């Protein structure tokens, strides 16, 4: 995987360019570039604190009225950032920047004072072509970076349609166990291994 410069290194480079072009015809473009970099830093920091990269496996066997998945399981994927209603503008800004996903309201009627809103990107092509490249280029700083790398590894399996095979699905479940403080899924793994006793399993290297 290609390694890009960190956000700090990019800022240093552009700061030098901005200083050189101060008062010139290019100053407006430099200011716009600086504003863009500030927004990138804000996004990565915001996601470090409030974002989540998640993979879910849902049982989808054959039914009387519809054909299920070949493996009996569906793999769902999403990138989510959550905020209270008072901070919905932050989510809208993020959605406008990426140009993908939607902002949803999660209505709450318990003792919470406000509804929750979520910026959600679930479409496979949006995740692969927009979200993942962004965070590969502008790295997260907290332990959430590891969750992102594992999420990206799962999406690479999905990208090749390997998740439609028992072996690929098992690889994803193995990775899922290490994400977002998830509990181990020994029962699901046992079912999958029983389902494909003759299939060679090679764990994904992250």
């Amino acid at each position: 995987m290609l390694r890009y410069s960190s956000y700090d290194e990019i800022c240093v480079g552009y700061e030098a360019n901005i200083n050189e072009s101060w008062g010139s015809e290019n100053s407006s473009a430099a200011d716009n570039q600086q504003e863009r970099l500030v927004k990138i830093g804000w996004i990565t920091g915001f996601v470090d604190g409030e974002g989540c990269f998640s993979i879910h496996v849902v049982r989808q066997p054959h039914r009387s009225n519809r054909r299920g998945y070949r493996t009996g399981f569906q793999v769902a994927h999403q990138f989510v950032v959550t905020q209270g209603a008072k901070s919905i503008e932050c989510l809208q800004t993020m959605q406008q920047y990426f140009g993908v996903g939607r902002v949803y309201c999660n209505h709450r009627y318990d003792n919470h004072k406000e509804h929750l809103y979520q910026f959600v990107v679930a479409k496979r092509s949006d995740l692969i072509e927009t979200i993942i490249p962004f965070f590969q280029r502008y790295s997260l700083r907290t332990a959430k970076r590891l969750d992102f790398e594992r999420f990206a590894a799962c999406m690479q399996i999905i990208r090749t349609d390997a998740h439609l095979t028992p072996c690929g699905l098992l690889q994803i479940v193995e990775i899922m166990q290490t994400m977002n403080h998830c509990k181990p899924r020994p029962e699901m793994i046992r079912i999958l291994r029983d389902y494909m006793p003759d299939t060679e399993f090679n764990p994904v290297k992250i």
Side-chain angles (χ1 to χ4, degrees):
M1 182 177 69
L2 292 175
R3 293 293 180 182
Y4 296 84
S5 299
S6 68
Y7 172 66
D8 289 339
E9 291 171 340
I10 294 173
C11 282
V12 169
Y14 277 112
E15 185 175 346
N17 291 336
I18 289 170
N19 290 334
E20 291 176 2
S21 61
W22 184 260
S24 70
E25 295 179 356
N26 295 326
S27 62
S28 178
D31 290 342
N32 291 337
Q33 186 63 53
Q34 185 182 42
E35 182 179 352
R36 176 176 175 273
L37 290 172
V38 168
K39 183 171 289 186
I40 288 171
W42 171 79
I43 289 174
T44 55
F46 205 100
V47 172
D48 258 327
E50 306 295 340
C52 179
F53 301 91
S54 64
I55 301 286
H56 301 286
V57 175
V58 182
R59 182 76 173 169
Q60 290 286 3
H62 293 314
R63 298 173 186 170
S64 59
N65 60 342
R66 61 165 290 181
R67 182 174 179 79
Y69 286 77
R70 189 174 8 170
T71 61
F73 294 90
Q74 177 187 10
V75 180
H77 35 65
Q78 62 179 9
F79 163 59
V80 181
V81 184
T82 304
Q83 280 292 288
K86 294 179 181 178
S87 300
I88 186 176
E89 185 177 345
C90 295
L91 303 183
Q92 293 170 337
T93 298
M94 198 173 299
Q95 191 276 332
Q96 291 170 3
Y97 179 86
F98 286 115
V100 298
R102 295 181 60 185
V103 175
Y104 298 91
C105 179
N106 180 12
H107 294 281
R108 309 191 71 172
Y109 300 100
D110 48 16
N111 59 348
H112 290 78
K113 296 181 180 180
E114 60 180 350
H115 296 315
L116 288 180
Y117 281 81
Q118 294 181 320
F119 167 50
V120 180
V121 181
K123 187 176 179 180
R124 184 185 305 178
S125 59
D126 291 341
L127 291 168
I128 291 173
E129 297 171 11
T130 301
I131 300 302
I132 289 177
F134 176 88
F135 290 104
Q136 285 177 334
R137 184 168 187 177
Y138 306 108
S139 299
L140 297 167
R141 301 301 183 88
T142 67
K144 198 160 293 180
R145 177 175 58 84
L146 298 178
D147 282 336
F148 165 73
E149 292 175 352
R150 290 159 182 162
F151 177 83
C154 289
M155 292 305 299
Q156 180 58 32
I157 295 173
I158 294 170
R159 184 176 192 172
T160 62
D161 287 336
H163 68 296
L164 301 176
T165 67
C167 185
L169 181 61
L170 181 55
Q171 289 178 322
I172 288 176
V173 174
E174 293 275 9
I175 296 173
M176 283 170 54
Q177 292 189 103
T178 66
M179 294 176 61
N180 302 318
H181 307 291
C182 285
K183 296 180 180 179
R185 294 172 169 80
E187 183 63 18
M188 180 178 292
I189 292 175
R190 182 189 64 77
I191 292 173
L192 290 172
R193 287 188 182 279
D194 290 344
Y195 183 82
M196 53 173 197
D198 299 325
T199 302
E200 183 179 355
F201 171 59
N202 297 310
V204 175
K205 295 181 179 179
I206 304 175

